[in-house]
Amino acid sequence: MNGTLNKVILIGHLGDEVKMHYFEGGNCIGRFPLATNEVYINKTTGEKITSTEWHNIVVRNKAAEICEKYLSKGDKIYIEGRIKSRQWQAEDGATKYTTEIQVTEFTFLTTKKDTDLSKSSLPTGSAPEDF
């Protein structure tokens, strides 16, 4: 294979509400933490261990607005996207780093809002390629 691939697939639960940020020109982004869990048995003690990994999720424009409308803390979502690392200068002058998942596709698996919706009518979407 001559090319490269940057693709992430996650199924997890929202750790908080979707936080929206709006920009001049009408664009917006939504951010939320997503928890994925790994469960295994400690062979020495027989104890069931749950390990949680947190992911910083970023959705853009219409996809962000859909996520804000339908998702709440604890909801389960399927996400496809790509890893993006970035850095910035904090107010104290320190250089800060973060790694995010930029969403390209998503499907709501469970939502607390609009519980009258049947599962088949839960929104799915694609994030436009306007990164």
Side-chain angles (χ1 to χ4, degrees):
M1 178 181 211
N2 292 332
T4 64
L5 177 67
N6 180 353
K7 183 169 185 164
V8 176
I9 298 175
L10 299 169
I11 296 175
H13 294 274
L14 272 72
D16 200 357
E17 303 300 317
V18 178
K19 305 285 192 252
M20 296 294 291
H21 303 279
Y22 295 90
F23 304 101
E24 290 181 23
N27 290 331
C28 63
I29 61 171
R31 297 178 186 276
F32 57 90
L34 186 78
T36 56
N37 299 314
E38 177 184 8
V39 179
Y40 60 93
I41 304 296
N42 182 318
K43 292 182 181 180
T44 306
T45 65
E47 179 183 8
K48 181 178 170 181
I49 307 291
T50 301
S51 174
T52 302
E53 186 72 32
W54 289 96
H55 312 274
N56 298 313
I57 306 300
V58 178
V59 288
R60 297 185 180 277
N61 300 321
K62 186 65 174 172
E65 293 169 351
I66 291 169
C67 287
E68 180 191 33
K69 180 177 179 181
Y70 290 101
L71 291 176
S72 298
K73 181 178 179 179
D75 289 343
K76 192 173 189 180
I77 187 171
Y78 168 94
I79 289 175
E80 290 184 26
R82 59 179 141 285
I83 296 173
K84 177 76 174 179
S85 298
R86 62 184 179 87
Q87 69 180 47
W88 70 97
Q89 292 296 123
E91 290 181 13
D92 64 1
T95 302
K96 302 285 187 173
Y97 299 90
T98 191
T99 301
E100 300 168 328
I101 307 301
Q102 294 190 343
V103 175
T104 55
E105 303 277 336
F106 62 91
T107 300
F108 299 162
L109 301 177
T110 62
T111 62
K112 292 184 176 131
K113 292 181 184 176
D114 302 319
T115 54
D116 294 338
L117 290 174
S118 69
K119 187 170 179 160
S120 63
S121 66
L122 289 175
T124 63
S126 297
E129 293 295 325
D130 61 354
F131 296 114

